[in-house]
Structures are given as C-alpha cells and as structure tokens.
Amino acid sequence: MARRKPANRKPGPTPVGRAPSGGTGELRIIGGDWRSRKLRFPDAGGVRPSPARTRETLFNWLNFQIAGSDCLDLFAGSGALGLEALSRGAASTTLVDHTPALASALRDNLRLLKSDKGVVVCQDAESFLANRQRPPFDIVFMDPPFRQDWLERLFPLLESGQWIKPGGWVYVEHESERATPPVPTGWLLHRQKTAGQVTYSLYRVNPETD
C-alpha cells in the first residue's frame, strides 16, 4: 500500500481514494467472500488503496495461486492487497506496516470481518525482513512509498532471508517514470503492466523445474 508522495507538485484536488488530512479513507473489497464490503482506515502518510482495476488485474494473474496460500503484505497501509487475498481464499496473510494507527485499523478490520487468518505486525519493512523466524511465504505483495528506493533495498533482503518459497510469487508496484529495479537472479517476470503513474509487475521466484 504505497504512500504516494509526488515531488514538486502544486496542491490540487484530493485524489480519489485518499482522505483529506486528519480524516479517514475507505477501502472496498472487490472480490471473494467479502466482496463489496467497505472498510475504513485512518489518513496517515497519504495512504490510499491500490485502485480497484489494478487489484482486479493482479488477482486475475494470481487466480490459481491464491487459494490456500500464505501471503505477506509489506507496507500494508489500508490492507487492500492482503485483505483482498484473504477474501479470495488465502489461508493466511501477514500485514506489515510501521504506522501504529494503520496497524490498529488493520486489526479492527480483521475483527469486523470476523477473520482470524490475518496477523498484523507494526514494524518497518527492513526490520521485519532482517530476521526470518517463520516458514517462507507463497506470495509477497510490495507496494512501497514512491521515490524512496525501497525495492532496491528490499529485493536483496527477500533473497538472502529466503522469504519466498521456490515457485512463489512477488508482486511489486513502482512509479512508471523510472525503470523497474533489477531483481535477484532466478526471479522471472511473469506479467507487467503500466497504468498512469504506476507500473506493476508479478515475478515467479526460482520456479522448480519438472
């Protein structure tokens, strides 16, 4: 869940999906068991849900991988990606966000949805990835703040920490004004698309050969 912070722009209308400062935002689940459920989250650091069209494309790409999967949502923010995965049949999702207000809202929304399949961790992404104390994940979602070089820092941590199962998947978003950062050896680009200011990509990680 990226914090969009465009540089050197004049103030303008509040973007769709982003609440005015001091208010709350709204997330609508678009598929699965919780389809059309609306959830609230605090406006903290400019968080907004990934657009519904982007999420629909992503989960179409992952249509046969979501059910029963163990997912990690780094920079969870509103929880748009991690909660969407749970709605569509993921077995569990770990939602990581360093902002206490957002972490609290994620816990509240999981209770509202009566789900015990989500684990919320209030921690920054680098610290979380520094020491793996659990089995690797099937799917990792990464939608970090733009223009802060997060992907360059996190890709090596995901690889060295063996955070992703062989044959697992990594989804990333970054600003379309820049090239996609180099990925670790063995990560194969499966799908990629650009929509406006965002490029989003899905990688297969060290797929096992038959």
Side-chain angles (χ1 to χ4, degrees):
M1 181 49 47
R3 281 83 167 159
R4 312 300 186 196
K5 296 182 179 179
N8 300 321
R9 288 195 178 175
K10 297 179 180 179
T14 300
V16 174
R18 177 172 170 179
S21 178
T24 58
E26 183 176 86
L27 164 68
R28 183 176 67 86
I29 304 295
I30 60 173
D33 293 340
W34 303 328
R35 182 172 182 166
S36 299
R37 290 290 299 271
K38 293 181 179 180
L39 305 170
R40 308 295 293 180
F41 61 92
D43 177 45
V47 169
R48 67 154 181 80
S50 294
R53 184 174 297 180
T54 301
R55 281 182 279 148
E56 190 63 47
T57 299
L58 165 62
F59 287 98
N60 283 340
W61 290 347
L62 289 171
N63 185 45
F64 298 107
Q65 286 75 43
I66 286 292
S69 62
D70 185 13
C71 301
L72 170 62
D73 186 1
L74 287 170
F75 308 96
S78 69
L81 299 179
L83 295 178
E84 191 78 47
L86 288 177
S87 179
R88 293 170 183 256
S92 61
T93 295
T94 299
L95 302 111
V96 178
D97 200 283
H98 76 285
T99 305
L102 290 169
S104 179
L106 288 167
R107 295 186 184 100
D108 289 344
N109 282 330
L110 284 166
R111 284 191 289 268
L112 182 65
L113 294 166
K114 299 180 180 178
S115 174
D116 60 359
K117 296 180 179 180
V119 175
V120 179
V121 178
C122 188
Q123 190 175 15
D124 72 85
E126 284 183 293
S127 297
F128 178 82
L129 294 180
N131 186 22
R132 181 166 66 85
Q133 299 290 326
R134 49 145 297 143
F137 291 95
D138 298 301
I139 302 171
V140 174
F141 303 108
M142 288 198 299
D143 181 11
F146 284 1
R147 304 179 182 89
Q148 297 183 30
D149 299 324
W150 275 105
L151 298 180
E152 288 89 339
R153 303 204 299 272
L154 298 185
F155 285 165
L157 292 175
L158 286 167
E159 181 184 36
S160 63
Q162 299 182 336
W163 281 96
I164 309 148
K165 293 178 183 177
W169 304 85
V170 177
Y171 170 78
V172 300
E173 293 188 18
H174 65 84
E175 59 272 39
S176 57
E177 67 198 40
R178 58 165 298 179
T180 304
V183 299
T185 302
W187 290 26
L188 304 179
L189 181 63
H190 180 70
R191 293 283 191 275
Q192 187 175 73
K193 189 172 182 179
T194 296
Q197 299 179 35
V198 181
T199 294
Y200 47 107
S201 310
L202 181 65
Y203 295 91
R204 188 86 186 273
V205 176
N206 298 319
E208 297 174 330
T209 56
D210 297 327

Coordinates of all heavy atoms in Angstrom, one line a residue, residues 22-58:
G22 N -6.2 14.3 8.3 CA -7.0 14.3 9.6 C -8.3 13.5 9.5 O -8.9 13.3 10.4
G23 N -8.6 13.0 8.3 CA -9.9 12.3 8.1 C -9.6 10.8 8.0 O -8.6 10.2 8.5
T24 N -10.5 10.1 7.3 CA -10.4 8.6 7.1 C -10.6 8.3 5.7 O -11.3 9.1 4.9 CB -11.4 7.9 8.0 OG1 -12.8 8.3 7.6 CG2 -11.2 8.1 9.5
G25 N -10.0 7.2 5.3 CA -10.2 6.7 3.9 C -11.1 5.5 3.9 O -11.4 4.9 5.0
E26 N -11.5 5.1 2.7 CA -12.4 3.9 2.6 C -11.9 2.9 1.6 O -11.4 3.3 0.5 CB -13.8 4.4 2.1 CG -14.8 3.2 2.1 CD -16.2 3.8 1.7 OE1 -16.5 3.9 0.5 OE2 -17.0 4.0 2.6
L27 N -11.9 1.7 2.0 CA -11.5 0.6 1.1 C -12.7 -0.3 0.8 O -13.4 -0.7 1.7 CB -10.4 -0.2 1.8 CG -10.1 -1.6 1.2 CD1 -9.4 -1.5 -0.1 CD2 -9.2 -2.4 2.2
R28 N -12.8 -0.7 -0.5 CA -13.9 -1.6 -0.8 C -13.2 -2.9 -1.4 O -12.5 -2.8 -2.3 CB -14.8 -1.0 -1.9 CG -16.0 -1.9 -2.3 CD -16.9 -1.3 -3.2 NE -16.3 -1.1 -4.5 CZ -16.3 -2.0 -5.5 NH1 -16.8 -3.2 -5.3 NH2 -15.7 -1.7 -6.7
I29 N -13.6 -4.0 -0.7 CA -13.1 -5.3 -1.2 C -13.8 -5.6 -2.5 O -15.0 -5.5 -2.6 CB -13.3 -6.4 -0.2 CG1 -12.7 -6.1 1.1 CG2 -12.8 -7.8 -0.7 CD1 -11.2 -6.0 1.1
I30 N -13.1 -6.1 -3.6 CA -13.7 -6.2 -4.9 C -14.0 -7.6 -5.3 O -14.7 -7.8 -6.3 CB -12.9 -5.5 -6.0 CG1 -11.5 -6.1 -6.0 CG2 -12.8 -4.0 -5.7 CD1 -10.7 -5.6 -7.2
G31 N -13.6 -8.6 -4.5 CA -13.8 -10.0 -4.9 C -13.8 -10.9 -3.7 O -13.4 -10.6 -2.6
G32 N -14.3 -12.1 -4.0 CA -14.3 -13.2 -2.9 C -15.4 -13.1 -1.9 O -16.5 -12.5 -2.1
D33 N -15.2 -13.7 -0.8 CA -16.2 -13.8 0.3 C -16.7 -12.5 0.8 O -17.8 -12.3 1.3 CB -15.7 -14.7 1.4 CG -15.5 -16.1 1.1 OD1 -16.1 -16.5 0.0 OD2 -14.7 -16.8 1.8
W34 N -15.7 -11.5 0.8 CA -16.1 -10.2 1.4 C -16.3 -9.1 0.3 O -16.3 -7.9 0.5 CB -14.9 -9.7 2.3 CG -14.6 -10.6 3.4 CD1 -15.4 -11.4 4.1 CD2 -13.3 -10.8 4.0 NE1 -14.8 -12.1 5.0 CE2 -13.4 -11.8 5.0 CE3 -12.0 -10.3 3.7 CZ2 -12.4 -12.2 5.8 CZ3 -11.0 -10.7 4.5 CH2 -11.1 -11.7 5.5
R35 N -16.7 -9.6 -0.9 CA -16.9 -8.7 -2.0 C -17.9 -7.6 -1.6 O -18.9 -7.9 -1.0 CB -17.4 -9.4 -3.2 CG -17.6 -8.6 -4.4 CD -18.0 -9.4 -5.6 NE -18.1 -8.6 -6.8 CZ -18.2 -9.0 -8.1 NH1 -18.0 -10.3 -8.3 NH2 -18.3 -8.2 -9.1
S36 N -17.5 -6.3 -2.0 CA -18.4 -5.1 -1.7 C -18.3 -4.7 -0.3 O -19.0 -3.6 0.0 CB -19.8 -5.3 -2.2 OG -19.8 -5.6 -3.6
R37 N -17.6 -5.4 0.6 CA -17.5 -4.9 2.0 C -16.7 -3.6 2.0 O -15.6 -3.5 1.3 CB -16.9 -5.9 2.9 CG -17.8 -7.1 3.2 CD -18.9 -6.8 4.1 NE -18.6 -6.3 5.4 CZ -18.4 -7.0 6.4 NH1 -18.4 -8.4 6.3 NH2 -18.0 -6.5 7.6
K38 N -17.1 -2.6 2.7 CA -16.4 -1.3 2.8 C -15.8 -1.2 4.2 O -16.4 -1.5 5.2 CB -17.3 -0.2 2.5 CG -17.9 -0.1 1.1 CD -18.8 1.1 0.9 CE -19.3 1.1 -0.6 NZ -20.2 2.3 -0.8
L39 N -14.5 -0.8 4.2 CA -13.7 -0.7 5.4 C -13.1 0.6 5.5 O -12.8 1.2 4.5 CB -12.6 -1.8 5.5 CG -13.1 -3.3 5.3 CD1 -11.9 -4.2 5.1 CD2 -13.9 -3.7 6.4
R40 N -13.0 1.1 6.8 CA -12.4 2.4 7.0 C -11.0 2.3 7.5 O -10.6 1.3 8.2 CB -13.2 3.2 8.0 CG -14.7 3.3 7.7 CD -15.0 4.1 6.4 NE -14.7 5.5 6.6 CZ -14.8 6.4 5.6 NH1 -15.3 6.0 4.4 NH2 -14.5 7.7 5.8
F41 N -10.1 3.3 7.2 CA -8.8 3.3 7.7 C -8.4 4.8 7.9 O -8.9 5.7 7.2 CB -7.8 2.6 6.8 CG -7.7 3.2 5.4 CD1 -6.8 4.2 5.0 CD2 -8.6 2.8 4.4 CE1 -6.7 4.7 3.8 CE2 -8.5 3.3 3.1 CZ -7.6 4.3 2.8
P42 N -7.5 5.1 8.8 CA -7.1 6.5 9.0 C -6.2 7.0 7.9 O -5.5 6.3 7.3 CB -6.3 6.4 10.3 CG -5.8 5.0 10.4 CD -6.8 4.2 9.7
D43 N -6.3 8.3 7.7 CA -5.5 9.0 6.8 C -4.1 9.3 7.5 O -4.0 10.1 8.3 CB -6.1 10.3 6.3 CG -5.1 11.1 5.4 OD1 -4.6 10.5 4.5 OD2 -5.0 12.3 5.6
A44 N -3.2 8.4 7.1 CA -1.8 8.5 7.8 C -0.8 8.4 6.7 O -0.6 7.4 6.1 CB -1.7 7.4 8.8
G45 N -0.1 9.5 6.5 CA 1.0 9.5 5.5 C 0.6 9.4 4.0 O 1.4 9.0 3.2
G46 N -0.6 9.7 3.7 CA -1.1 9.7 2.4 C -1.4 8.4 1.8 O -1.4 8.2 0.6
V47 N -1.7 7.4 2.7 CA -2.1 6.1 2.2 C -3.4 6.1 1.4 O -4.3 6.8 1.8 CB -2.2 5.1 3.4 CG1 -2.9 3.8 3.0 CG2 -0.9 4.9 4.1
R48 N -3.4 5.3 0.4 CA -4.7 5.1 -0.4 C -4.6 3.7 -0.9 O -3.6 3.1 -1.2 CB -4.8 6.1 -1.5 CG -3.8 5.9 -2.6 CD -4.4 6.4 -4.0 NE -3.5 6.3 -5.1 CZ -3.3 5.2 -5.7 NH1 -3.9 4.1 -5.3 NH2 -2.5 5.1 -6.7
P49 N -5.8 3.0 -1.1 CA -5.8 1.7 -1.6 C -5.3 1.6 -3.1 O -5.5 2.6 -3.8 CB -7.3 1.3 -1.5 CG -7.9 2.2 -0.6 CD -7.1 3.5 -0.7
S50 N -4.6 0.5 -3.4 CA -4.4 0.3 -4.8 C -5.7 0.4 -5.6 O -6.7 -0.2 -5.1 CB -3.7 -1.1 -5.1 OG -2.4 -1.1 -4.5
P51 N -5.8 1.0 -6.8 CA -7.0 1.1 -7.5 C -7.7 -0.2 -7.7 O -7.0 -1.2 -7.9 CB -6.6 1.8 -8.8 CG -5.4 2.5 -8.5 CD -4.7 1.7 -7.4
A52 N -9.0 -0.2 -7.8 CA -9.8 -1.5 -8.0 C -9.4 -2.2 -9.3 O -9.2 -3.4 -9.3 CB -11.3 -1.2 -7.9
R53 N -9.1 -1.4 -10.3 CA -8.8 -2.0 -11.6 C -7.4 -2.7 -11.5 O -7.2 -3.8 -12.1 CB -8.7 -0.9 -12.7 CG -8.5 -1.5 -14.1 CD -8.6 -0.4 -15.1 NE -9.9 0.1 -15.2 CZ -10.3 1.1 -16.0 NH1 -9.4 1.6 -16.9 NH2 -11.5 1.5 -16.1
T54 N -6.5 -2.1 -10.8 CA -5.2 -2.7 -10.6 C -5.3 -4.0 -9.8 O -4.7 -5.0 -10.1 CB -4.2 -1.7 -9.9 OG1 -4.1 -0.5 -10.7 CG2 -2.8 -2.4 -9.7
R55 N -6.1 -3.9 -8.7 CA -6.2 -5.1 -7.9 C -6.9 -6.3 -8.7 O -6.6 -7.4 -8.6 CB -7.1 -4.8 -6.7 CG -6.3 -4.1 -5.5 CD -7.1 -3.9 -4.3 NE -7.9 -2.7 -4.5 CZ -9.1 -2.5 -3.9 NH1 -9.7 -3.4 -3.2 NH2 -9.7 -1.3 -4.1
E56 N -7.9 -5.9 -9.5 CA -8.6 -6.9 -10.3 C -7.6 -7.6 -11.3 O -7.6 -8.8 -11.4 CB -9.7 -6.3 -11.1 CG -10.7 -7.3 -11.8 CD -11.4 -8.2 -10.8 OE1 -11.9 -7.7 -9.8 OE2 -11.4 -9.4 -11.0
T57 N -6.8 -6.8 -11.9 CA -5.7 -7.4 -12.8 C -4.8 -8.3 -12.1 O -4.5 -9.4 -12.5 CB -4.9 -6.2 -13.5 OG1 -5.8 -5.4 -14.3 CG2 -3.9 -6.8 -14.4
L58 N -4.3 -7.8 -10.9 CA -3.4 -8.6 -10.1 C -4.0 -10.0 -9.7 O -3.4 -11.0 -9.9 CB -3.0 -7.9 -8.8 CG -2.3 -8.7 -7.7 CD1 -1.0 -9.3 -8.2 CD2 -2.1 -7.9 -6.5

